[in-house]
Structures are given as C-alpha cells and as structure tokens.
C-alpha cells in the first residue's frame, strides 16, 4: 500500500515535472529547440524559435539541425569561444544563424544535455544578438565619426595656429621694416624742415632748394611704400582683375626705360633688345608694373656705371621678359625666401627697401597665369625671368 502511494506520488511528481518543462519550453520568451543527439535531428521547437528562423513547425521537425539554419560555433566567432563546450553542453557561444530568405543573424547559442525517454538529447537556447550587433556597429560608427571629427578639429586648430604664427611673424617683420623705412624719410623731412628755417632766415636760396628736394624725395619714398601696401592689399582682396588689351611690347619697354632712366644711378644705363613679333595681348599695366619693379631693383642693387639688360621676346605661346644686372647678387641661403613678403637678403639690409616689391611682382605674374624665376650669384649679378601666356 505504501509502495503504491509512493509510486503514485512519483508518477505525479514526474507528470508535474514534465508539465513544468513543457510550459517553460513552449512559453519561453527565448528561442529553444530540442535536438536528438544521435542523429542531430530536431525533435521540438518553441514559438520563439519559429519566429526567429522564419520557418514553420512542419518545416523544422525531424530535420537536421543545419536545415534550421544553425551553424556550428567557430573559434573566431566573437567573444564566446568554442572552449565553452563542456561534457554537459555548450555554455554560450556566438554564432551566425541562417534564417529564412538567406539572411544571416548573429546569435548566442548554448545547450544542455538532457535525456528524453532515456535517449541523449540537447536543449538548445538561441538568443538573437542582431540588435546588440547593430548597436555595437552603430557605436563603432559613432566612434569613427568622432575620431574623424577630432582629427578634423585638430587639423583646423593646427592650421589656425600656423596662421597665427605667420601673422605674428609678419607683424614682427612689418614692425622691423616700418621702423626703419618710415623713420629714415621722416627724419630727413624733419631735419630738412629745421634747416629750411635756418636757411630761410639767412636767405640761402640754393640750400633751401636742396632741402626742399630732399623733403620731396622723402615724401615720394613714403608714398611708394604706401602704394606697395595698397596694391598688395588690393591683390589679396581679389580686387585686381587682369584687363587684357592689345599693344606693342617694344613701345612699352621703351616708355619704361625712359621713365626709370631718370632714377638710375650715375652712369647706369639700360640696354634693351627684343625678338619675335611685337604686337601682343596681355594686361599692359601689370606687365609695366612688374618690369618697373625688376628694373628698379636691378639699379638699386648694382653699382654706378653698370649696364642693366632688359629683353623681351614673343614666342608662339608666351611672352618672356628678362632683367639682368651685374650687382651684389642674392646670397644662396637667402634665395628661397626672396618672394616672401618683407624678406630682405642679408647683403641688402644697408640699402633702402621694404621687401615687398618681389612679393607683389609674383602675385601680379600669377594673376596672369605666368611665372617668375631668377638666377643669381653673390657679387656677380642677378637675372629675373618673367613668362606670361601670349593671349590670342
Ligand atoms: P626691396 O628691394 O624693397 O628690399 P624686393 O621685394 O624688391 O624688396 O626684393 C626682396 C629682396 O630680394 C631684396 O631685399 C634683395 O635682398 C633681393 N633682391 C631683389 N632684386 C635683387 C637684385 N636685382 N639683386 C640683388 N638682390 C635683389
């Protein structure tokens, strides 16, 4: 009697246990299947699994595990390694699961070994990691974007710092130039004005005239410096636009040599030669400006009595202008910098100058899509070459 009651109790307990398992299997919010370990066929699947795989119950039951899209975990799949496989099952392993229509999703698989009717089976649990992966990828993407932004900002900052450094450098060079180049003519004007007062009292007309010339020359110099600043500003503001007209280049060269002739040093003269056609189309004012600048430098940096050679040649596609002198030349170390604004070679410091002329000349030549180069040897001489396109 006791045995029968016990048997009944055992049966009841088993029934309840089956019921508990059934409920936890079918109502589990996580996908689960039961696999027959002997042939690896699927014995049962819950709703969650069907929803995940996109297959119907009939399509799955009795089929091999691989037809349910479950692929084995591999060593390199995610952080849950195959090493988590134990004799009791698989702890947790990241894998790819093929779902209906060939899509693949990331899943976390685990199983425990169970016995069903005495036969070895596996209870598989499959967790969909798609949302997690998506979030991970999104985070990676955000990280990349952030990294890129940080890189861009750093670049911007570096550029700003470099610009700031350049501006400070320019300021320092401007102050050095201005304090010297403005002070000299201003001192001349002040001294000449003082002397004028004295000579006026003494009625010394000749000396008065000399100092008036001195004042005029100093004012002219200041005006030229100011004009250089203004034209540089206009070019940089994009206010200077080339104005193309037709003209005879030899006429222009003649006019320029006449114009500058009055300012040449004692005994200096300009030898001019031209080759090729004479009628050209270009911006006459820009070319004049560049030629005047180069000729003025040639005179300034060469000694009295020397010859300055100006040549123009018109070729098939371009106009070539050269200005050569036999002056102090440019020291090799300084040559890479002479087109930099305010730069003055060390052998030129005793002579008046702002270090702006060549910088402006280069900007002008660039406006015409041309180029300016030079060859120079210290104490031998310098030749500047300007090449601009010949416009039709
Ligand atoms: P500036 O003559 O007013 O100093 P530029 O910009 O015209 O300024 O020239 C820059 C520098 O290039 C000069 O200070 C000088 O050192 C050098 N340079 C220019 N032309 C000549 C030349 N013909 N011979 C020797 N040095 C020259």
């Amino acid at each position: 009697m006791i045995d029968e009651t016990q048997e009944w109790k055992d049966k009841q307990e088993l029934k309840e246990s089956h019921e508990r398992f059934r409920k936890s299997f079918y109502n589990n919010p996580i996908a689960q299947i039961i696999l027959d370990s002997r042939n690896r066929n699927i014995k049962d699947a819950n709703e969650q699994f069907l929803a995940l795989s996109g297959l119907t119950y009939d399509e799955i039951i009795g089929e091999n595990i691989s037809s349910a899209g479950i692929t084995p975990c591999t060593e390199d799949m995610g952080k849950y390694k195959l090493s988590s496989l134990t004799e009791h099952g698989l702890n947790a392993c990241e894998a790819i699961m093929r779902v209906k229509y060939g899509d693949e999703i990331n899943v976390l698989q685990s199983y425990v070994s169970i016995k069903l009717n005495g036969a070895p089976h596996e209870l598989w649990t499959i967790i969909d990691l798609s949302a997690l992966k998506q979030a991970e990828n999104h985070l990676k993407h955000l990280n990349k974007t952030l990294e890129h932004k940080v890189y861009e900002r750093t670049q911007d900052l570096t550029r700003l710092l470099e610009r700031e450094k350049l501006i400070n450098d320019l300021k320092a060079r401007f102050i050095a130039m201005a304090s010297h180049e403005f002070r000299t003519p201003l001192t001349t004007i002040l001294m000449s004005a003082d002397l004028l007062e004295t000579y006026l009292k003494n009625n010394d007309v000749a000396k008065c005239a000399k100092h008036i010339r001195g004042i005029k020359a100093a004012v002219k110099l200041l005006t030229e410096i100011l004009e250089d600043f203004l034209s540089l500003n206009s070019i940089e503001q994009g206010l200077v636009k080339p104005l193309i007209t037709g003209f005879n280049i030899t006429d222009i060269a003649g006019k320029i040599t006449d114009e500058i002739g009055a300012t040449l040093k004692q005994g200096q003269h300009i030898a001019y030669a031209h080759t090729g056609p004479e009628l050209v189309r270009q911006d006459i004012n820009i070319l004049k400006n560049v030629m005047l600048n180069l000729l003025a430098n040639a005179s300034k940096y060469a000694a009295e009595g020397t010859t300055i050679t100006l040549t123009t040649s018109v070729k098939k596609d371009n106009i070539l202008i050269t200005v050569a002198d036999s002056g102090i030349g440019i020291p090799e170390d300084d040559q890479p910098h002479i087109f930099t604004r305010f730069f003055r070679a060390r052998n030129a410091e005793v002579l008046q100058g702002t270090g702006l002329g060549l910088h402006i000349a280069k900007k002008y030549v660039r406006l015409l899509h041309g180029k300016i180069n030079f060859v120079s040897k210290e104490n031998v001489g310098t030749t500047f070459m300007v090449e601009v396109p010949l416009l039709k």
Side-chain angles (χ1 to χ4, degrees):
M1 186 65 183
I2 292 168
D3 277 359
E4 264 176 34
T5 317
Q6 189 58 42
E7 200 176 314
W8 181 86
K9 265 189 180 168
D10 287 350
K11 270 188 182 165
Q12 191 62 26
E13 230 169 66
L14 197 64
K15 207 171 141 201
E16 278 172 15
S17 162
H18 272 156
E19 189 57 20
R20 272 206 302 278
F21 176 78
R22 231 179 61 81
K23 274 192 180 154
S24 85
F25 180 75
Y26 291 117
N27 300 336
N28 202 328
I30 295 169
Q32 282 190 315
I33 51 171
I34 294 170
L35 193 74
D36 189 328
S37 306
R38 293 164 299 181
N39 51 17
R40 318 229 31 92
N41 285 347
I42 297 175
K43 194 83 174 243
D44 207 350
N46 68 1
E47 282 297 329
Q48 285 305 319
F49 184 82
L50 299 179
L52 188 66
S53 68
L55 299 167
T56 63
Y57 193 78
D58 293 342
E59 283 171 324
I60 284 179
I61 300 307
E63 295 298 325
N64 188 273
I65 184 168
S66 60
S67 52
I70 294 178
T71 54
C73 299
T74 57
E75 277 294 350
D76 54 354
M77 254 182 215
K79 32 192 184 263
Y80 302 100
K81 304 288 184 207
L82 198 60
S83 54
S84 47
L85 185 63
T86 67
E87 58 184 298
H88 307 294
L90 177 68
N91 265 342
C93 149
E94 225 179 298
I96 298 285
M97 178 173 161
R98 253 176 296 105
V99 293
K100 208 170 180 180
Y101 308 119
D103 285 350
E104 288 185 337
I105 57 169
N106 291 81
V107 291
L108 191 66
Q109 301 174 346
S110 66
Y111 73 79
V112 282
S113 305
I114 52 169
K115 286 255 174 359
L116 262 188
N117 301 325
H121 282 73
E122 292 161 15
L123 172 67
W124 282 68
T125 303
I126 293 128
I127 298 172
D128 183 3
L129 293 181
S130 311
L132 198 75
K133 282 282 156 189
Q134 248 176 23
E136 239 177 57
N137 287 342
H138 185 59
L139 209 66
K140 266 187 204 155
H141 176 73
L142 279 182
N143 254 342
K144 274 237 163 74
T145 318
L146 202 69
E147 263 171 31
H148 186 68
K149 274 205 177 131
V150 169
Y151 174 78
E152 270 184 354
R153 292 288 170 278
T154 315
Q155 295 282 93
D156 283 354
L157 265 177
T158 315
R159 267 197 295 272
L160 274 177
L161 278 176
E162 269 165 15
R163 216 183 134 63
E164 172 102 2
K165 201 169 155 274
L166 190 81
I167 289 170
N168 281 340
D169 200 38
L170 280 179
K171 249 197 243 165
R173 278 196 268 157
F174 172 76
I175 290 167
M177 182 281 290
S179 58
H180 180 253
E181 295 308 313
F182 291 163
R183 199 187 292 259
T184 315
L186 287 173
T187 313
T188 307
I189 293 169
L190 196 65
M191 276 169 57
S192 291
D194 278 349
L195 289 167
L196 262 178
E197 267 180 352
T198 315
Y199 294 132
L200 268 176
K201 275 184 208 150
N202 301 343
N203 227 354
D204 191 339
V205 180
K207 288 222 168 105
C208 281
K210 186 184 155 211
H211 286 285
I212 289 172
R213 278 200 303 277
I215 291 176
K216 277 185 170 173
V219 171
K220 186 170 170 276
L221 189 62
L222 285 173
T223 314
E224 278 169 6
I225 296 174
L226 194 67
E227 268 166 12
D228 271 356
F229 272 108
L230 292 179
S231 47
L232 181 58
N233 188 51
S234 305
I235 301 172
E236 287 187 340
Q237 301 279 312
L239 299 175
V240 182
K241 301 266 181 267
L243 183 69
I244 310 301
T245 53
F247 57 92
N248 185 316
I249 192 155
T250 58
D251 287 351
I252 296 304
K255 276 190 190 141
I256 290 171
T257 44
D258 285 349
E259 208 174 298
I260 207 157
T263 64
L264 292 180
K265 285 182 188 161
Q266 187 84 36
Q268 278 184 338
H269 85 280
I270 297 173
Y272 172 59
H274 174 81
T275 52
E278 296 180 0
L279 288 181
V280 294
R281 276 176 62 74
Q282 249 307 348
D283 185 313
I284 185 170
N285 286 325
I286 290 185
L287 284 187
K288 260 170 88 174
N289 197 302
V290 172
M291 280 156 107
L292 272 171
N293 195 310
L294 296 179
L295 287 168
N297 273 353
S299 165
K300 180 165 60 174
Y301 296 112
E304 291 179 353
T306 52
T307 301
I308 296 159
T309 311
L310 168 69
T311 71
T312 52
S313 59
V314 175
K315 307 229 163 101
K316 197 167 141 271
D317 299 314
N318 52 33
I319 305 168
L320 185 72
I321 300 163
T322 69
V323 176
D325 66 62
S326 49
I328 60 170
I330 303 164
E332 219 174 306
D333 291 355
D334 290 333
Q335 290 189 10
H337 313 291
I338 65 154
F339 291 106
T340 309
R341 72 174 83 180
F342 303 130
F343 183 84
R344 309 206 63 219
R346 63 183 146 74
N347 63 343
E349 277 161 7
V350 287
L351 295 158
Q352 181 277 325
T354 58
L356 276 178
L358 285 181
H359 181 73
I360 294 174
K362 186 161 187 164
K363 290 214 174 229
Y364 270 142
V365 172
R366 277 218 185 128
L367 271 182
L368 302 185
H369 304 290
K371 42 190 181 191
I372 179 166
N373 288 308
F374 68 94
V375 283
S376 184
K377 197 162 171 48
E378 208 172 346
N379 299 321
V380 176
T382 306
T383 302
F384 276 92
M385 285 92 57
V386 173
E387 198 181 314
V388 290
L390 177 68
L391 304 174
K392 306 287 171 206

